[in-house]
Each structure stands twice: as C-alpha cells, then as structure tokens.
Amino acid sequence: MAQLAPTPDVTRAPPDSPRDHLSSPVTKSVLTIQHRMLDATREFLAGRGFTEILLPVIGPVTDPGARGAKQVDVDYYGHRYKLMTSAILYKQASLTMFDKIFCIAPNVRLEPLETASTDRHLAEFHQIDVEAAGASREEIMQLAEDLVGHVVGRVVAELPGELAGIGRDTGMITNLNAEPFERRAHADAVADLRGLGHDQSPDAEIDWVGEAMLSSKTSRPFFITDYPKGSRGFYDRESVQRPGYLRNFDLIAAEGFGELCSGSERENDYATIISRMRETGENPAKYGWYLEMVRDGIPGSAGFGIGLERFTRYVAGLDSVWQASAYPKVPGMVSP
C-alpha cells in the first residue's frame, strides 16, 4: 500500500499486498468471527423488537463529528453532499416510522494522520447503530451491555477453535453478563487519569491515550457517563437535573482495547437544538431537512453506535483494528 507523505510511523501497518491479507488464515478466522458477531447482533436486536433499516451513504449533511476528523464531499448532481460520518440524524428521523430501529451503517471519516498509530482508527468503518423512541439513557445503556454480552457469548460458545487458532485468551470475555458493567462519571475518570499522571482536560472527551490507560487497568468493560456540555454534539441531551452535563455515555472495553461504543439520550426540541448548534459553531441552515422534521415533531429517544471493527478487535484480541476489515483504510495510507 502506498503511503501519503507525511505519515506517522505505523508499527503494525496492513500488508502491501491485498492478496496476502485476504488469503491469510488469521484474516479468515477474524472475518468468520465478525460474521458470527453480526448474526448474533441481528438475532438479539430482532428479539428485542428492533427493525433493521438501510440508511443512506450520502446526504446533504452528516454528523458534524469531532476530534479533528474531516468530512468527505461528493458532487451529487451539482449539489455538495457528504459521505456519512455517522447515521445519527437519520436514526432520529427514522423513528417517525418505527419505534425501535437498527442498522449496520458504513461511515467515512478522514481521521488525523496521527491516529494511524493508535491501532484503533480506520478512515472507513461500520457501526452497529441502534435507536429507540422513548428510551432513557439507563435503558439504552442496559441494552448495549446486554447486546455486547450476547454477541461475545455466542462467539465464545460457537467458535472456540477460531479464537484458539488466533491466540485469543477467552478468560476475560467469558460470561461478560455475569455482573453489571461498572458506571463511572466523566469527572471521576478525569480524576483517575490525573492520578496516573495523565493531564486529561475536564472539559473534553477522554482522549485516546486516556481511554487506553483506563481500559488497560480493568478486566471488564465499563461505562463513562455525564460528559460536560460542549464536549459532544448538539444532539446529546443536556441533563435537566445537572445543567452543564450531558445524558450520554461511552462504553470502554477492557484489556487496553479502548472505546467501543458511544451513545446518549437525544435532544428533540427544535429551539434547543438551534441553540446548541450555534453554541458549537454549527450553521443551522446546513441542516434544513433535519430541522424541518424536528420542528414538525420527532420522538425523544436514546441510542448508540458500536464500532464493528473495534468490537471485532476486542473479541478476537487483535493487535490492530485494520485486521478486522477485509479492505482496511488506515488514516493516511492509500489502499484498495
């Protein structure tokens, strides 16, 4: 694979030959595991009353994103459209049709070049996106916890040979639902990191290094909740009981694998969304179709997105997330 200059040092870069990657027994085992994970995801969510829908790959606007990732513009019959960085706006809109929806959604984010060395970032990836009308943060967190436990349990029970063949120690991923995942407030996570000598900002998302540090010190996944207002998008609902804090969460995997999932209760009040957009520097005029739907009424909801390749990396115990993709797009590297 040809590299764009300048590119940071990538210690576990994909092989130069797509054939070498696709014909590797490791790749075959990993994608067999991922296939079973998708099957288990659909089984679980359908059993909970969710309908799978197909969401667009391009649109006039997408999630504004964060952490320096750039959006990709395309010419759509003379109009400037975006490749989806997240399905969040379309998930909210789709609740005018079904009360519970999910999708396996492709996403494209031109991540900063330095993310090529984190082992957790791809420029093209997929998310298991879930949204439920009328749900609270606590209900949707429990759903995410149950989903992760179900999927991991299916893989451990049904594919022990594949896991053993790639050297995955299943000791810490067996019986994940045996006890509840820990809930930890953002402020407490910041204090923990500062106690470890990491200068984490109290006003921002937990940074990539901080996520890895917290993740490496636990044997079970855990949630971080209550991020400060301003650290996340305009669609994360602000707490009525605790102004200045958001009703949101991240799910952090154990063993140093870092963040798997982000979610929140969603803001659905038109005036509040306009105000939040302006606070975060977004131009409401760009979101015309979405704001029109909000003004006409969309349900209050809660939802989350689980990065499929990151989830696969955790379950399979991989060194890097690119190993969980047949055609990996590592930031800053040209590939098929």
Side-chain angles (χ1 to χ4, degrees), residues 22-224:
L22 292 170
S23 62
S24 165
V26 172
T27 302
K28 184 176 181 180
S29 289
V30 169
L31 296 186
T32 299
I33 290 167
Q34 188 176 91
H35 171 74
R36 192 59 52 89
M37 291 170 65
L38 287 169
D39 180 54
T41 295
R42 289 186 165 103
E43 171 190 69
F44 174 86
L45 291 172
R48 295 290 183 98
F50 285 79
T51 299
E52 182 174 6
I53 64 174
L54 303 177
L55 296 182
V57 177
I58 64 171
V61 71
T62 184
D63 175 358
R67 299 198 189 197
K70 296 180 180 179
Q71 298 176 359
V72 179
D73 292 333
V74 296
D75 183 344
Y76 184 71
Y77 300 104
H79 294 271
R80 190 177 181 181
Y81 270 42
K82 306 283 187 182
L83 296 184
M84 290 296 111
T85 63
S86 165
I88 174 60
L89 306 181
Y90 289 90
K91 287 198 300 178
Q92 282 187 277
S94 297
L95 295 178
T96 59
M97 177 172 47
F98 297 108
D99 288 339
K100 297 179 177 181
I101 62 104
F102 78 98
C103 62
I104 313 298
N107 294 258
V108 177
R109 300 177 189 174
L110 298 186
E111 300 282 2
L113 288 176
E114 60 266 24
T115 62
S117 60
T118 66
D119 291 325
R120 296 191 291 121
H121 288 83
L122 292 171
E124 179 185 70
F125 62 98
H126 297 79
Q127 285 204 124
I128 302 166
D129 265 307
V130 178
E131 200 76 15
S136 68
R137 179 183 65 179
E138 286 67 31
E139 289 169 334
I140 211 70
M141 286 171 66
Q142 188 62 56
L143 183 77
E145 180 174 337
D146 292 346
L147 171 60
V148 167
H150 176 80
V151 170
V152 174
R154 276 279 306 273
V155 172
V156 170
E158 298 176 13
L159 296 176
E162 302 288 355
L163 292 167
I166 58 176
R168 178 49 157 146
D169 179 357
T170 60
M172 286 195 285
I173 61 170
T174 301
N175 297 322
L176 279 186
N177 288 145
E179 57 185 83
F181 293 172
E182 178 193 355
R183 270 70 165 162
R184 189 182 309 180
H186 176 271
D188 294 332
V190 170
D192 290 343
L193 286 170
R194 290 189 163 186
L196 294 169
H198 182 67
D199 189 22
Q200 170 65 47
S201 168
D203 302 316
E205 292 185 280
I206 305 298
D207 60 35
W208 299 311
V209 173
E211 283 178 358
M213 290 175 69
L214 293 173
S215 174
S216 67
K217 292 187 173 297
T218 182
S219 61
R220 290 177 52 76
F222 67 94
F223 289 103
I224 299 176

